[in-house]
Amino acid sequence: MNKEKTDMLKGPKIYLTTRTSVDWDQVAEFLSDQGVPPIPDSIRAGSDESAAVVEISARLCYMSYGRGRKDISDFINNLLSFKDGSVFEHVNYGFVVTGVSRSLTHELVRHRAGFAYSQRSQRYVDESGASFVIPPALMSDAVSSDHVREVFDQAMKDAAASYDQLVNALEESLDENVFEKKTDRRKAIRQAARSVLPNATETKIFITANVRAWRHFIEMRSAPYADWEIRRMAIKILSLLIDEAPLLFGDFTIEQLPDGTSIATPLHSKV
Ligand SMILES: Cc1cc2nc3c(=O)[nH]c(=O)nc-3n(C[C@H](O)[C@H](O)[C@H](O)COP(=O)(O)OP(=O)(O)OC[C@H]3O[C@@H](n4cnc5c(N)ncnc54)[C@H](O)[C@@H]3O)c2cc1C
């Protein structure tokens, strides 16, 4: 699909697609089997099931259901401040992210522990008509010249044209007889042609991680020294997670820097 116009994207779209939930009947049965009091109010508190998962798992260690801490917020804060991080691994959030660059996902996938990824393939999926992500600095008020955008836009158009030319040239010249299946040949063409696509090429990725991993990722990638594009995505994910699970992410503070970008800092570092 060759497009007349090359789309230049200004930022990501992030969908919170999957979350962990509690089967309250099973929890009640477990407590009853163990001869401990029914589900205490502390666990039931609020609509935030993610915090309940953390409390249920943490209390299993000492079979302390219904005892101690005054409420779930106090309980979670205590775990965070003592860096009892492993119980936060029971809660997972999955996001589909579109409108991010390949350079962003190259940095993202360095995060290993507790993360799962599924990314759009450049070998199976045709990149003719690809979109490109404008680096945040090029849209910043701190940049006074239009020239930087002109240079960037032209480079993207040239790369897109080179990709199409390479696909067409390979379609004509790559020997069909050396491939068992047509799809193998198509893959061989695309995997060669993608080498001329830039870091800014848009990609789509499904990321799932547990809360401990998300907290670490957000801390590292929303710090002032992180790349602006991944920082912007980390802070958007953080904002969604603060709304979704305030007890698990509410200790992060988001602030704006003089350059117009934002950073985020946790009260409890590397839990
Ligand atoms: C601003 C910035 C600049 C960077 N620049 C570069 C660069 O120039 N070049 C480069 O190569 N990388 C660079 N990185 C990537 C960085 O080195 C890490 O690979 C990445 O941030 C993932 O961090 P992590 O290993 O802590 O995370 P995860 O893989 O998510 O691991 C989380 C934690 O689990 C533990 N862990 C995970 N795996 C292991 C293991 N195998 N053994 C022991 N403990 C483990 C560690 O405590 C780790 O911190 C940069 C990162 C940032 C934030």
Side-chain angles (χ1 to χ4, degrees):
M1 182 199 37
N2 296 0
K3 279 200 298 192
E4 286 290 305
K5 196 172 148 290
T6 307
D7 287 332
M8 304 293 176
L9 306 178
K10 293 192 168 164
K13 183 150 187 198
I14 301 176
Y15 309 79
L16 172 49
T17 47
T18 48
R19 48 174 70 80
T20 305
S21 62
V22 179
D23 186 324
W24 292 107
D25 291 340
Q26 286 288 294
V27 174
E29 189 179 327
F30 158 65
L31 295 178
S32 162
D33 288 349
Q34 298 302 312
V36 292
I39 297 165
D41 286 346
S42 64
I43 295 179
R44 278 285 200 191
S47 58
D48 177 7
E49 292 204 343
S50 56
V53 176
V54 173
E55 185 172 354
I56 292 163
S57 58
R59 285 199 183 277
L60 187 136
C61 302
Y62 307 108
M63 288 302 283
S64 64
Y65 296 97
R67 297 206 308 265
R69 300 277 147 199
K70 71 177 186 322
D71 57 27
I72 195 162
S73 166
D74 187 33
F75 189 84
I76 299 288
N77 270 329
N78 192 52
L79 291 172
L80 287 171
S81 59
F82 279 96
K83 303 197 188 294
D84 277 343
S86 64
V87 288
F88 294 89
E89 295 171 18
H90 292 291
V91 182
N92 281 268
Y93 289 102
F95 295 89
V96 169
V97 181
T98 65
V100 288
S101 69
R102 277 247 159 196
S103 61
L104 182 151
T105 56
H106 184 80
E107 293 187 348
L108 168 66
V109 299
R110 295 295 304 277
H111 293 270
R112 304 152 290 170
F115 274 88
Y117 304 103
S118 299
Q119 182 166 16
R120 190 178 113 121
S121 167
Q122 286 189 323
R123 300 175 70 214
Y124 279 90
V125 183
D126 180 21
E127 286 284 26
S128 309
S131 300
F132 300 96
V133 179
I134 306 164
L138 272 58
M139 296 180 290
S140 162
D141 291 342
V143 173
S144 55
S145 153
D146 288 340
H147 184 55
V148 287
R149 266 304 297 279
E150 288 162 13
V151 171
F152 176 79
D153 288 4
Q154 192 55 54
M156 298 306 108
K157 283 175 193 157
D158 290 347
S162 297
Y163 178 86
D164 289 344
Q165 284 165 19
L166 207 44
V167 168
N168 293 337
L170 284 164
E171 288 280 8
E172 282 170 21
S173 58
L174 190 58
D175 187 354
E176 287 177 12
N177 299 318
V178 299
F179 297 97
E180 245 178 60
K181 289 183 277 180
K182 276 190 177 170
T183 47
D184 291 341
R185 183 168 184 269
R186 238 190 341 255
K187 220 164 61 179
I189 290 171
R190 287 173 185 164
Q191 75 196 16
R194 70 175 169 168
S195 60
V196 297
L197 290 173
N199 271 336
T201 308
E202 190 242 356
T203 185
K204 305 177 203 305
I205 190 161
F206 189 162
I207 323 158
T208 304
N210 67 55
V211 164
R212 190 184 205 180
W214 276 124
R215 286 185 58 96
H216 177 62
F217 167 79
I218 292 164
E219 180 174 355
M220 297 205 72
R221 298 301 177 171
S222 62
Y225 44 80
D227 176 274
W228 285 13
E229 191 195 354
I230 198 166
R231 177 141 53 94
R232 178 177 63 188
M233 185 192 79
I235 289 173
K236 282 189 177 196
I237 287 176
L238 171 64
S239 301
L240 291 168
L241 288 172
I242 290 174
D243 285 348
E244 176 76 18
L247 294 180
L248 306 185
F249 294 93
D251 63 309
F252 278 86
T253 314
I254 301 174
E255 61 181 296
Q256 210 176 21
L257 298 180
D259 61 20
T261 66
S262 296
I263 57 168
T265 321
L267 178 62
H268 305 293
S269 176
K270 199 161 191 199
V271 169

